[in-house]
Amino acid sequence: MQLTSFLFLLFFLVVSSIYYLFPSKYRWIWLLLVSYCFYGIGNINSVGLLILVTVTTWNGGNLIAGARHNHQIRNSSAHQKIILAACVLLNIGILVFYKYSNFAIYNLNRILRIGQIPPIQFTFNWIMPIGISFFILQALTYPIDIYRGKINPEKNPLKYALFVSFFPQILSGPIGRAKNMLPQISTNHQFDFDRIKHGMWRMLWGFFQKMVIGDRLSIFIASVFDDPVVFQHGGIINWIAMVFFGLQIYYDFAGYSNIAIGAAQILGYSIPVNFLRPYFSKSVTEFWKRWHISLTSWFRDYLYIPLGGNRVGKIRHAANILIVFLVSGLWHGANWTFIIWGLLNGFYQIIELSLKSVLKPIIGQRSFQLNSFGWKSLRVVMVFFLTDFAWIFFRSNTIHDAFGFIKGLFYFNPQILLDDQLYQYGLTRINMQILLIALVISVTVSWLQRSGSICEKMDRQPFWFRWAVILTGIFAILLLGIYGPNVDTSQFIYTKF
């Protein structure tokens, strides 16, 4: 069930209406039932896997807590480590098995062919469970945080099941933490008009980002990336497609995140913010603090810091960065294009940190005003270009396609901008104009957010102004959103990860 579908809107309207009819202390039960129904629609064969992950991580966390307080166990610390390791390996093993089995067989066969050894004549023909990459990482925060002493065990397995399966975020996040979510499940959420109003505004903004901007961008991008003739000889078209994909993946995923956050907010829950104006970043390091925050912070807290983080030597620190981005690339998909994308972003950070240490004493002796508007703007543009260049590998189907696309960047054809050739890639002139206007609106909203919440700013406006903005947004989505059976735009990019 897609979050931008009419079915979801009807589903959410019914769920949220009935939710507030329940006594407050029993509302979590209703959410658990509807969360499993939501996931089961179209994923009924994967419900058993969701239950398995829930049971193993809940039992693992509680066994760790029990071992800590069991004075009859001589080496409690070692016992806890064994339980945690078993729990993590089991669940990561499930993820690896479903997501990377065929990828491993394919690459093993390539090696076997080099040695003239008969290849493995076997592949797994299953549909990967939707959301598996998200709910497994979310579930693993429970046993890990219990082991670290950050949370107490949840005694009620059904409340824990709601934490893992909470329907607004199960398909594509944001990835929650047990220490933040579990206390909310045990809270009696009261009807709060302002909170519900702000949640609805956030959902509306998410629909606008996804359906008016993201889906419109996807039409142009598909016509370029999925046509070998175009992307190898596109020239200016390739440059536009590269920039457009950087924008598409942002508006697609930020749109999903805002719909999920807004839906949770209406139900009284607070889930993590996933994006914080990432394309205003002035460094690659800053970009990854603002992009897909729930995932990058997960890798930071549960992989990067345990590896030693930056508290080690320079070579080890560089290795830690590469390991994290390699895992991040693999997490996104079983394809060498994702691995190269991850490693490329890792190298960006290593080079940036190296240049920073080299240039710092030099800059200190000069009168460079790095905080001036000009320098800040240049740094923002450089980071935007670097991340967009890396997105080429993320979007390409194969490494060969990615390098073909990069080759096409050097094809000289500026005349495309002087005639109507630009409008032969899925978007008419009027659609391109709508896109540009929507992008200006979005950038303006992002700029205004720098000084505070848009919802709070809206609250200070007159009644007529608020309703004018809301109605304009609704009509913009209904009239300017991308619909139709001939264009596959309804699927969110990150649901396949």
Side-chain angles (χ1 to χ4, degrees), residues 11 71 146 153 226-227 261 330 371 400 404 416 441 471 480:
F11 171 85
H71 300 293
I146 286 181
D226 297 336
D227 188 335
I261 293 169
L330 277 170
N371 290 324
H400 179 267
I416 285 179
I441 293 172
L471 291 176
L480 305 179

Side-chain angles (χ1 to χ4, degrees), residues 468-479:
V469 172
I470 292 168
L471 291 176
T472 301
I474 292 173
F475 281 113
I477 294 166
L478 292 176
L479 299 177

